[in-house]
Amino acid sequence: MQNVTPAVPVSAGGGPERPPPGELLRRLRQRHTTDPITHIERVPPRAGIAVPWPHWAPEELRAAYARRGVTTPWRHQVEAAEIAYDRRHVVVATGTASGKSLAYQLPALATLLADPRATVLYLAPTKALAADQLRAVATLEIEGVRPSCYDGDTPRAEREWIRRHSRFVLTNPDMLHHGILPGHAQWSGFLRRLAYVVVDECHVYRGVFGSHVAHVLRRLRRQCARYRPATGDPGPTFVLASATSGDPAAAAGRLTGLPVTAVTEDTSPRAGVTFALWEPPLLPPDPAAIPAPRPAPASRAAPADSAAGGPPPAGRSLAGRSLAGSGAHGSTPARSASGDPTPAGSPSGGPVHEAADLTQVRRSALRETADLLADTVASGVRTLAFVRSRRGAEVVATSTRRSLDEAVPGLGDRVAAYRGGYLREERRELERALLHGDLLGLASTNALELGVDLIGLDAVLICGYPGTRASLWQQAGRAGRSGQEALAVLIARDDPLDTYLVHHPEAVFGAPVEATVLDPANTYVLGPQLACAAAEAPLTDADLALFGDGAKETVAALVEAGALRQRPTGWYWRHRERPQVDLRGDGGAPVCVVEAATGRLLGTVDGGSAHFLLHSGAVYLHQGVSYVVDSLDLDDGCALVHPEEPDWSTHARDVTSLSVVSVRSYVDAGPVGLFLGEVDVTSQVVSYQRRRIATGEVIDTRPLDLPARELRTVAVWFTLSPESLAAAGVDPADVPGGLHAAEHAAIGLLPLVATCDRWDIGGLSTAVHPDTEAPTVFVYDGHPGGAGFAERAYGMASSWLRATRDAIAECGCEHGCPSCVQSPKCGNGNNPLSKPDAVTVLNVVLANLPE
């Protein structure tokens, strides 16, 4: 990382008095000779609408809130609380810092005071949020409630006490799934008296994770019904809290399987926010990087077992139509981690010029964020920087500390990183330091996006678009919670989506917030969840209605597979061990990171990321300390590391093949076909690059020997006839580059129309795919069984691909750059890529595809 002296002077005491947002933004933009700000949006302040306490709120509870400074509630808080106290299910979907906590605390605590036997279960998606809510409830000091956290960090000695005595248990869906429901007999008293289930930040439960949580909640409802007297008791009331989202009532209904009323009008006061869109400057081109022409690799032939038994035909009006339900298979060229295919070479045999590599690139968003964080901390501004990845958060924090210590020795100690994978003690200490003002700056993953009450933050830096407008506003809303004017800055990464957004502010500020997408009927989710339910208690016909569409057919499939046994009294789990089901789709159990010399546990990495982050030779960062991985044992779930400060970083590369299994739906658009269907994807991490930290120069590429991983999922793809491309002026030699560039940009722009980010999806392009027998671009969900993203892309294909075409065409580069068609994770060096041919390819698709 380049060390940069902060742009404003600092004092040894930690900086001058906090400047207002406008002045702070003026100072930040002075760093560059060209203005990096593409747009400034002013969100005006708003006055609140207070109303009296509901008549049923006990005086003891009102007094407890008054001690915390809450003398009267806001109207939306009371509206949601009234619905919940009336024992109707409700979701309150209002902005960040609007007081959603009181909306569910009020009816829940009032009920606990009125009924000394009643209990409440609170679910948060992160441990940090649950710990924050525990502090909030505990400080009310309501006698007899005994709030307690019950999660993976809870010592076993405390768990029995919590089961017996706590009346307000705070946990997460993972612990409910792995601990509480399997041991439901030990929780029978708690479940029998359960009055409320609070589902906080419910907009997070989307895709595969959300679909799993939907069935965990159904399993919870099932166990509550088993332990309650058969007197028509409707079971616990669900109270959900969500960020502002599209159609929250429908999303909450899908999540719980119950009718839910939505409260959406935000009547809380809000400080004004200055929101800037920031594009890092272009770096000067490096003349030494100009490559010489190289011979073209041999053209890749289609497999001999293609659909026609030999070379595929030149193209068809609807390529691949005969695949519907056929279960045809084939293989495709290898690709990189982002779904980028290996180059097919130049069919004409001419030289391949890596023209895209000559293009100027923008300064790294990580470096820009680190410099801005250093500047804000040096100005005395308490700042939270959101970074997309764990490694990125570590890099930003380390660079910021280094820059600040150069300016004022010791000031760097007031900056830290916060991410998943830390040990419990580290997380709690960081949360305490931030809440008490010991830290002025924090670089965090989205672990701190959700609800944690961070009073006193003045600014938020968002390093890269977080994937949805809901998350963007959640992160921006972390600042200004004390009522003072706040600053939010979105720093664009050098990729198609971020570039599009900072130059199209109407897509950020003028568009509605997305609806939450989840699909409980996904058979890859429903089957494992029904197996878990059967392991808890035999399934009955009445239970199947609770689990919704497809449950009966899925149970039959589990019986046929030998997982369940049907008896007159129901369906029974046949095995001694419980089903192993990962709610978050992270790819298995976490891998422990252990310092080899001392045996000290540093942290954990989810199983799905271990191949990329903990392979032998990988650089692993932990609280600013650099380690190098000695070995990775996937069977034991352990990576051994040693401390080392190399001047290089590591970047894993993988290869992937894809075959079409079936077609669910298609559009015949003459020379263009649009498809939605199931595909099999096989990927394997095969090597990693070492790159100089200072320059990004590739030192070498080293091979790896890791097992392949297979995924059956849902994809959307389009095909074009070779004749249509030729008629549009695309030379056959340029087809691979045009498709490849279009695929990169399409992956980058999909989050614009689907509730996902680019890490949720993969892709592949090829000039002739053996299953479609035509030039094809695939984009697929990166989760087993699909996550609903490909379906959304299929339904919004015209809008999605038009935005993709516009992003490429409007980019100011000549040959293609990371802002339009280059992918940061392309395993083939972003070659071949053809920006003009990508525009032509998309023009052909859009000209034929119906709206």
Side-chain angles (χ1 to χ4, degrees):
M1 276 292 174
Q2 177 182 355
N3 294 331
V4 180
T5 303
V8 296
V10 295
S11 66
E17 183 178 349
R18 182 183 76 91
E23 171 61 19
L24 178 59
L25 199 57
R26 185 190 66 79
R27 295 181 186 179
L28 296 178
R29 70 202 308 179
Q30 286 179 342
R31 172 178 293 282
H32 301 298
T33 55
T34 58
D35 191 354
I37 296 176
T38 61
H39 179 81
I40 297 176
E41 187 80 7
R42 171 69 180 160
V43 182
R46 177 185 64 211
I49 303 174
V51 296
W53 292 98
H55 66 86
W56 44 261
E59 182 59 36
E60 179 183 350
L61 189 54
R62 300 185 198 188
Y65 279 114
R67 290 194 296 271
R68 286 178 48 185
V70 180
T71 56
T72 53
W74 309 118
R75 188 175 67 193
H76 70 275
Q77 294 173 322
V78 172
E79 182 182 351
E82 292 274 20
I83 295 171
Y85 197 75
D86 195 35
R87 304 311 298 268
R88 291 179 290 147
H89 312 293
V90 62
V91 56
V92 54
T94 52
T96 307
S98 59
K100 292 186 285 287
S101 297
L102 188 144
Y104 55 73
Q105 288 174 5
L106 186 58
L109 293 174
T111 299
L112 295 185
L113 284 170
D115 180 359
R117 293 176 57 81
T119 59
V120 173
L121 181 66
Y122 169 93
L123 298 173
T126 66
K127 293 178 180 179
L129 180 54
D132 182 73
Q133 285 298 300
L134 175 62
R135 285 190 291 266
V137 175
T139 55
L140 292 173
E141 298 178 339
I142 305 297
E143 186 176 354
V145 172
R146 300 182 292 274
S148 302
C149 265
Y150 189 90
D151 58 29
D153 292 338
T154 306
R156 295 202 172 273
E158 296 179 16
R159 296 187 181 190
E160 178 64 24
W161 185 94
I162 292 171
R163 284 194 293 265
R164 289 181 176 274
H165 301 292
S166 178
R167 299 176 61 215
F168 197 121
V169 173
L170 301 98
T171 187
N172 52 64
D174 309 84
M175 195 64 177
L176 180 60
H177 164 65
H178 289 293
I180 296 176
L181 289 175
H184 56 82
Q186 296 175 299
W187 289 86
S188 59
F190 184 91
L191 297 175
R192 183 180 301 113
R193 304 188 299 269
L194 186 59
Y196 288 98
V197 177
V198 177
V199 184
D200 205 355
E201 304 291 359
C202 66
H203 63 282
V204 171
Y205 302 122
R206 59 180 176 85
V208 170
F209 180 38
S211 302
H212 274 296
V213 172
H215 287 298
V216 171
L217 295 181
R218 286 159 174 77
R219 286 162 50 200
L220 172 64
R221 290 172 52 204
R222 176 176 179 246
Q223 292 303 328
C224 288
R226 292 183 68 242
Y227 288 109
R228 299 169 99 92
T231 57
D233 186 338
T237 300
F238 281 76
V239 185
L240 302 96
S242 170
T244 304
S245 63
D247 202 356
R254 285 193 300 271
L255 186 64
T256 61
L258 296 164
V260 179
T261 302
V263 174
T264 58
E265 184 184 3
D266 190 341
T267 58
S268 64
R270 180 185 64 195
V273 179
T274 299
F275 203 135
L277 303 183
W278 185 291
E279 186 174 43
L282 289 167
L283 296 173
D286 181 6
I290 299 177
R294 59 178 176 79
S299 180
R300 194 183 302 267
D305 61 350
S306 61
R316 295 181 290 179
S317 172
L318 180 61
R321 168 185 280 175
S322 61
L323 290 173
S326 69
H329 289 268
S331 62
T332 64
R335 69 158 179 89
S336 72
S338 63
D340 312 314
T342 54
S346 170
S348 65
V352 177
H353 294 266
E354 297 181 355
D357 293 339
L358 311 185
T359 306
Q360 286 181 275
V361 297
R362 295 195 177 275
R363 195 164 187 263
S364 159
L366 289 177
R367 293 189 181 189
E368 197 78 351
T369 302
D371 290 348
L372 294 177
L373 182 57
D375 286 347
T376 57
V377 169
S379 298
V381 176
R382 293 186 65 193
T383 307
L384 178 60
F386 283 106
V387 188
R388 300 295 302 278
S389 68
R390 294 179 177 186
R391 177 184 289 182
E394 294 279 3
V395 168
V396 168
T398 300
S399 182
T400 303
R401 284 193 293 260
R402 186 181 300 135
S403 297
L404 290 171
D405 282 336
E406 286 188 353
V408 178
L411 187 55
D413 293 339
R414 304 193 69 183
V415 175
Y418 186 100
R419 60 171 176 80
Y422 286 166
L423 302 180
R424 177 190 184 186
E425 295 76 15
E426 292 175 308
R427 292 197 307 270
R428 297 295 179 264
E429 175 58 26
L430 287 169
E431 292 161 13
R432 186 207 62 77
L434 190 63
L435 290 170
H436 288 78
D438 298 338
L439 291 176
L440 272 177
L442 198 67
S444 172
T445 59
N446 63 359
L448 287 180
E449 173 185 322
L450 306 174
V452 178
D453 196 8
L454 304 177
I455 297 296
L457 283 178
D458 306 310
V460 167
L461 306 175
I462 304 170
C463 181
Y465 183 61
T468 65
R469 285 179 288 273
S471 290
L472 181 73
W473 287 108
Q474 277 286 99
Q475 294 182 2
R478 293 294 95 195
R481 292 174 72 103
S482 60
Q484 299 184 10
E485 293 279 319
L487 174 66
V489 182
L490 171 62
I491 299 109
R493 292 170 300 168
D494 206 1
D495 75 10
L497 179 60
D498 284 31
T499 301
Y500 180 89
L501 291 175
V502 295
H503 290 285
H504 292 80
E506 71 280 0
V508 178
F509 302 107
V513 176
E514 308 89 348
T516 303
V517 178
L518 66 149
D519 179 20
N522 181 338
T523 55
Y524 287 85
V525 172
L526 182 56
Q529 287 294 331
L530 285 170
C532 290
E536 291 156 7
L539 287 167
T540 65
D541 285 317
D543 293 331
L544 299 188
L546 180 66
F547 289 95
D549 295 340
K552 189 172 184 178
E553 295 80 2
T554 304
V555 164
L558 290 171
V559 171
E560 185 178 353
L564 300 183
R565 175 182 287 118
Q566 186 173 7
R567 297 294 191 192
T569 53
W571 289 272
Y572 289 73
W573 177 246
R574 297 186 60 176
H575 306 287
R576 179 172 300 176
E577 301 81 11
R578 282 188 46 77
Q580 297 299 311
V581 179
D582 178 13
L583 296 189
R584 298 178 187 261
D586 290 335
V591 175
C592 297
V593 183
V594 177
E595 189 174 27
T598 64
R600 180 168 65 103
L601 176 64
L602 298 176
T604 61
V605 170
D606 63 84
S609 301
H611 289 229
F612 292 91
L613 301 180
L614 294 178
H615 57 78
S616 297
V619 176
Y620 175 79
L621 294 174
H622 185 85
Q623 278 294 353
V625 180
S626 178
Y627 297 85
V628 173
V629 178
D630 298 318
S631 64
L632 170 62
D633 189 326
L634 293 171
D635 293 331
D636 289 341
C638 180
L640 298 179
V641 302
H642 68 270
E644 184 179 339
E645 293 286 343
D647 64 349
W648 38 264
S649 59
T650 52
H651 305 264
R653 302 170 71 182
D654 74 349
V655 295
T656 294
S657 62
L658 181 151
S659 60
V660 175
V661 177
S662 64
V663 173
R664 294 183 183 176
S665 180
Y666 62 84
V667 175
D668 185 348
V672 171
L674 177 70
F675 300 85
L676 177 72
E678 287 191 325
V679 296
D680 281 335
V681 181
T682 302
S683 63
Q684 183 177 19
V685 174
V686 295
S687 63
Y688 69 98
Q689 286 183 342
R690 297 192 306 162
R691 302 178 191 171
R692 298 281 182 204
I693 293 176
T695 64
E697 171 197 0
V698 176
I699 301 172
D700 58 20
T701 299
R702 299 190 171 191
L704 291 169
D705 183 18
L706 290 167
R709 291 184 287 186
E710 297 182 352
L711 172 73
R712 176 162 291 187
T713 186
V714 178
V716 58
W717 66 94
F718 62 82
T719 62
L720 307 94
S721 70
E723 293 83 0
S724 67
L725 292 175
V730 181
D731 188 273
D734 297 324
V735 169
L739 295 172
H740 192 186
E743 175 225 329
H744 280 185
I747 290 173
L749 268 294
L750 182 55
L752 199 63
V753 299
T755 311
C756 66
D757 60 43
R758 69 180 301 157
W759 309 109
D760 286 325
I761 50 182
L764 185 145
S765 62
T766 178
V768 179
H769 189 279
D771 287 341
T772 65
E773 303 180 11
T776 310
V777 171
F778 293 89
V779 176
Y780 59 84
D781 292 354
H783 300 274
F789 309 138
E791 284 94 336
R792 179 72 172 170
Y794 180 78
M796 299 282 292
S798 293
S799 300
W800 167 42
L801 296 177
R802 183 171 292 107
T804 301
R805 189 268 317 273
D806 292 347
I808 301 172
E810 293 172 6
C811 186
C813 70
E814 182 177 356
H815 299 292
C817 68
S819 296
C820 57
V821 300
Q822 290 184 356
S823 168
K825 297 187 71 177
C826 181
N828 309 296
N830 285 292
N831 181 65
L833 289 178
S834 174
K835 176 183 176 180
D837 290 314
V839 174
T840 304
V841 164
L842 292 168
N843 281 336
V844 171
V845 173
L846 292 167
N848 290 278
L849 200 63
E851 289 289 338

Short mmCIF file of all heavy atoms in Angstrom, two decimals, residues 32-62:
data_model
loop_
_atom_site.label_atom_id
_atom_site.label_comp_id
_atom_site.label_asym_id
_atom_site.label_seq_id
_atom_site.Cartn_x
_atom_site.Cartn_y
_atom_site.Cartn_z
N HIS A 32 -6.99 15.38 -5.22
CA HIS A 32 -6.75 15.08 -6.63
C HIS A 32 -6.80 16.34 -7.48
O HIS A 32 -7.51 17.30 -7.17
CB HIS A 32 -7.79 14.08 -7.14
CG HIS A 32 -7.79 12.78 -6.40
ND1 HIS A 32 -6.70 11.93 -6.37
CD2 HIS A 32 -8.75 12.18 -5.63
CE1 HIS A 32 -6.98 10.88 -5.64
NE2 HIS A 32 -8.21 10.99 -5.17
N THR A 33 -6.06 16.31 -8.57
CA THR A 33 -6.06 17.45 -9.49
C THR A 33 -7.34 17.50 -10.31
O THR A 33 -7.79 18.57 -10.71
CB THR A 33 -4.85 17.37 -10.45
OG1 THR A 33 -4.87 16.09 -11.11
CG2 THR A 33 -3.55 17.50 -9.67
N THR A 34 -7.95 16.35 -10.58
CA THR A 34 -9.26 16.30 -11.23
C THR A 34 -10.31 15.93 -10.19
O THR A 34 -10.05 15.13 -9.30
CB THR A 34 -9.28 15.28 -12.37
OG1 THR A 34 -8.94 13.98 -11.84
CG2 THR A 34 -8.27 15.65 -13.45
N ASP A 35 -11.47 16.52 -10.33
CA ASP A 35 -12.52 16.32 -9.33
C ASP A 35 -13.03 14.89 -9.39
O ASP A 35 -13.58 14.45 -10.40
CB ASP A 35 -13.67 17.30 -9.58
CG ASP A 35 -14.65 17.33 -8.42
OD1 ASP A 35 -14.50 16.52 -7.49
OD2 ASP A 35 -15.56 18.18 -8.44
N PRO A 36 -12.89 14.12 -8.31
CA PRO A 36 -13.35 12.73 -8.33
C PRO A 36 -14.85 12.59 -8.09
O PRO A 36 -15.39 11.49 -8.22
CB PRO A 36 -12.56 12.09 -7.19
CG PRO A 36 -12.36 13.21 -6.22
CD PRO A 36 -12.22 14.47 -7.04
N ILE A 37 -15.52 13.67 -7.73
CA ILE A 37 -16.94 13.59 -7.39
C ILE A 37 -17.78 13.75 -8.65
O ILE A 37 -17.66 14.76 -9.37
CB ILE A 37 -17.32 14.65 -6.34
CG1 ILE A 37 -16.57 14.38 -5.04
CG2 ILE A 37 -18.84 14.65 -6.10
CD1 ILE A 37 -16.80 15.42 -3.96
N THR A 38 -18.61 12.76 -8.92
CA THR A 38 -19.48 12.81 -10.10
C THR A 38 -20.87 13.32 -9.78
O THR A 38 -21.59 13.75 -10.67
CB THR A 38 -19.61 11.41 -10.73
OG1 THR A 38 -20.21 10.51 -9.77
CG2 THR A 38 -18.24 10.87 -11.14
N HIS A 39 -21.26 13.27 -8.50
CA HIS A 39 -22.60 13.73 -8.13
C HIS A 39 -22.66 13.92 -6.62
O HIS A 39 -22.05 13.14 -5.87
CB HIS A 39 -23.66 12.71 -8.56
CG HIS A 39 -25.07 13.10 -8.19
ND1 HIS A 39 -25.81 13.99 -8.94
CD2 HIS A 39 -25.87 12.73 -7.14
CE1 HIS A 39 -27.00 14.14 -8.38
NE2 HIS A 39 -27.06 13.40 -7.29
N ILE A 40 -23.39 14.94 -6.18
CA ILE A 40 -23.66 15.15 -4.76
C ILE A 40 -25.17 15.22 -4.58
O ILE A 40 -25.85 16.02 -5.23
CB ILE A 40 -23.00 16.44 -4.22
CG1 ILE A 40 -21.47 16.33 -4.33
CG2 ILE A 40 -23.42 16.69 -2.78
CD1 ILE A 40 -20.75 17.60 -3.90
N GLU A 41 -25.68 14.36 -3.73
CA GLU A 41 -27.10 14.34 -3.43
C GLU A 41 -27.30 14.84 -2.00
O GLU A 41 -26.65 14.38 -1.06
CB GLU A 41 -27.66 12.91 -3.54
CG GLU A 41 -29.16 12.81 -3.40
CD GLU A 41 -29.91 13.16 -4.67
OE1 GLU A 41 -29.25 13.35 -5.72
OE2 GLU A 41 -31.15 13.21 -4.62
N ARG A 42 -28.18 15.79 -1.87
CA ARG A 42 -28.47 16.33 -0.54
C ARG A 42 -29.78 15.73 -0.04
O ARG A 42 -30.84 15.93 -0.64
CB ARG A 42 -28.58 17.85 -0.64
CG ARG A 42 -29.10 18.53 0.61
CD ARG A 42 -28.14 18.46 1.75
NE ARG A 42 -28.69 19.13 2.94
CZ ARG A 42 -28.27 18.92 4.15
NH1 ARG A 42 -27.29 18.05 4.37
NH2 ARG A 42 -28.81 19.56 5.18
N VAL A 43 -29.71 14.94 1.01
CA VAL A 43 -30.90 14.37 1.63
C VAL A 43 -31.30 15.29 2.78
O VAL A 43 -30.56 15.39 3.76
CB VAL A 43 -30.64 12.94 2.14
CG1 VAL A 43 -31.92 12.35 2.75
CG2 VAL A 43 -30.13 12.05 1.02
N PRO A 44 -32.42 15.98 2.66
CA PRO A 44 -32.76 17.01 3.67
C PRO A 44 -33.13 16.40 5.01
O PRO A 44 -33.55 15.24 5.08
CB PRO A 44 -33.96 17.73 3.05
CG PRO A 44 -34.59 16.70 2.16
CD PRO A 44 -33.45 15.88 1.63
N PRO A 45 -33.00 17.18 6.07
CA PRO A 45 -33.43 16.69 7.38
C PRO A 45 -34.96 16.56 7.43
O PRO A 45 -35.67 17.15 6.61
CB PRO A 45 -32.92 17.75 8.35
CG PRO A 45 -32.79 18.99 7.53
CD PRO A 45 -32.42 18.53 6.15
N ARG A 46 -35.43 15.78 8.39
CA ARG A 46 -36.87 15.55 8.50
C ARG A 46 -37.26 15.61 9.98
O ARG A 46 -36.56 15.08 10.84
CB ARG A 46 -37.20 14.17 7.94
CG ARG A 46 -38.68 13.75 8.06
CD ARG A 46 -38.87 12.32 7.58
NE ARG A 46 -38.15 11.37 8.42
CZ ARG A 46 -37.64 10.22 8.00
NH1 ARG A 46 -37.76 9.88 6.74
NH2 ARG A 46 -37.01 9.42 8.84
N ALA A 47 -38.37 16.27 10.25
CA ALA A 47 -38.87 16.34 11.62
C ALA A 47 -39.64 15.07 11.96
O ALA A 47 -40.24 14.43 11.08
CB ALA A 47 -39.77 17.55 11.79
N GLY A 48 -39.63 14.69 13.23
CA GLY A 48 -40.34 13.49 13.66
C GLY A 48 -41.77 13.78 14.07
O GLY A 48 -42.14 14.93 14.33
N ILE A 49 -42.59 12.74 14.11
CA ILE A 49 -43.98 12.84 14.56
C ILE A 49 -44.14 11.95 15.78
O ILE A 49 -44.15 10.72 15.68
CB ILE A 49 -44.96 12.41 13.45
CG1 ILE A 49 -44.76 13.25 12.18
CG2 ILE A 49 -46.41 12.51 13.94
CD1 ILE A 49 -45.60 12.79 11.01
N ALA A 50 -44.23 12.58 16.94
CA ALA A 50 -44.36 11.84 18.19
C ALA A 50 -45.83 11.66 18.55
O ALA A 50 -46.67 12.50 18.22
CB ALA A 50 -43.63 12.57 19.31
N VAL A 51 -46.14 10.56 19.23
CA VAL A 51 -47.50 10.26 19.68
C VAL A 51 -47.43 9.75 21.12
O VAL A 51 -46.36 9.35 21.59
CB VAL A 51 -48.18 9.21 18.77
CG1 VAL A 51 -48.36 9.73 17.36
CG2 VAL A 51 -47.39 7.90 18.77
N PRO A 52 -48.56 9.72 21.83
CA PRO A 52 -48.54 9.21 23.20
C PRO A 52 -48.25 7.71 23.25
O PRO A 52 -48.43 6.98 22.27
CB PRO A 52 -49.96 9.50 23.71
CG PRO A 52 -50.51 10.54 22.79
CD PRO A 52 -49.87 10.29 21.46
N TRP A 53 -47.81 7.25 24.41
CA TRP A 53 -47.62 5.82 24.62
C TRP A 53 -48.96 5.11 24.51
O TRP A 53 -50.00 5.66 24.89
CB TRP A 53 -47.04 5.56 26.01
CG TRP A 53 -45.63 6.03 26.20
CD1 TRP A 53 -45.24 7.20 26.79
CD2 TRP A 53 -44.44 5.36 25.79
NE1 TRP A 53 -43.87 7.30 26.78
CE2 TRP A 53 -43.35 6.18 26.17
CE3 TRP A 53 -44.17 4.16 25.14
CZ2 TRP A 53 -42.03 5.84 25.93
CZ3 TRP A 53 -42.85 3.81 24.91
CH2 TRP A 53 -41.80 4.63 25.29
N PRO A 54 -49.01 3.88 24.01
CA PRO A 54 -50.27 3.13 24.00
C PRO A 54 -50.75 2.89 25.43
O PRO A 54 -49.95 2.77 26.36
CB PRO A 54 -49.91 1.83 23.29
CG PRO A 54 -48.43 1.72 23.36
CD PRO A 54 -47.90 3.11 23.42
N HIS A 55 -52.06 2.79 25.57
CA HIS A 55 -52.63 2.70 26.92
C HIS A 55 -52.19 1.45 27.66
O HIS A 55 -52.15 1.41 28.89
CB HIS A 55 -54.16 2.74 26.82
CG HIS A 55 -54.75 1.53 26.13
ND1 HIS A 55 -55.05 0.35 26.80
CD2 HIS A 55 -55.06 1.31 24.82
CE1 HIS A 55 -55.54 -0.53 25.94
NE2 HIS A 55 -55.55 0.02 24.73
N TRP A 56 -51.80 0.39 26.91
CA TRP A 56 -51.44 -0.86 27.56
C TRP A 56 -49.98 -0.91 27.98
O TRP A 56 -49.55 -1.88 28.63
CB TRP A 56 -51.74 -2.06 26.65
CG TRP A 56 -51.31 -1.86 25.21
CD1 TRP A 56 -52.10 -1.48 24.16
CD2 TRP A 56 -49.99 -2.02 24.67
NE1 TRP A 56 -51.36 -1.39 23.00
CE2 TRP A 56 -50.06 -1.73 23.27
CE3 TRP A 56 -48.76 -2.40 25.21
CZ2 TRP A 56 -48.96 -1.79 22.43
CZ3 TRP A 56 -47.65 -2.45 24.38
CH2 TRP A 56 -47.76 -2.15 23.01
N ALA A 57 -49.19 0.10 27.63
CA ALA A 57 -47.77 0.11 27.99
C ALA A 57 -47.63 0.35 29.49
O ALA A 57 -48.06 1.40 29.99
CB ALA A 57 -47.03 1.18 27.21
N PRO A 58 -47.06 -0.57 30.26
CA PRO A 58 -46.96 -0.41 31.71
C PRO A 58 -46.12 0.81 32.10
O PRO A 58 -45.18 1.19 31.38
CB PRO A 58 -46.28 -1.71 32.18
CG PRO A 58 -46.39 -2.66 31.03
CD PRO A 58 -46.46 -1.83 29.80
N GLU A 59 -46.46 1.40 33.22
CA GLU A 59 -45.72 2.57 33.69
C GLU A 59 -44.26 2.22 33.95
O GLU A 59 -43.36 3.03 33.69
CB GLU A 59 -46.37 3.10 34.97
CG GLU A 59 -45.68 4.36 35.51
CD GLU A 59 -45.69 5.50 34.51
OE1 GLU A 59 -46.68 5.65 33.76
OE2 GLU A 59 -44.68 6.24 34.45
N GLU A 60 -44.00 1.02 34.42
CA GLU A 60 -42.62 0.59 34.66
C GLU A 60 -41.79 0.62 33.38
O GLU A 60 -40.62 1.03 33.38
CB GLU A 60 -42.62 -0.82 35.25
CG GLU A 60 -41.22 -1.38 35.52
CD GLU A 60 -41.26 -2.81 36.03
OE1 GLU A 60 -42.36 -3.31 36.36
OE2 GLU A 60 -40.17 -3.42 36.11
N LEU A 61 -42.41 0.21 32.28
CA LEU A 61 -41.71 0.19 31.00
C LEU A 61 -41.51 1.61 30.47
O LEU A 61 -40.44 1.94 29.94
CB LEU A 61 -42.51 -0.66 30.00
CG LEU A 61 -41.84 -0.98 28.67
CD1 LEU A 61 -40.48 -1.63 28.88
CD2 LEU A 61 -42.73 -1.91 27.83
N ARG A 62 -42.53 2.46 30.62
CA ARG A 62 -42.38 3.86 30.18
C ARG A 62 -41.25 4.54 30.96
O ARG A 62 -40.46 5.29 30.39
CB ARG A 62 -43.69 4.62 30.39
CG ARG A 62 -44.88 4.04 29.65
CD ARG A 62 -46.08 4.95 29.83
NE ARG A 62 -47.32 4.27 29.50
CZ ARG A 62 -48.50 4.86 29.43
NH1 ARG A 62 -48.61 6.15 29.66
NH2 ARG A 62 -49.60 4.17 29.13
#
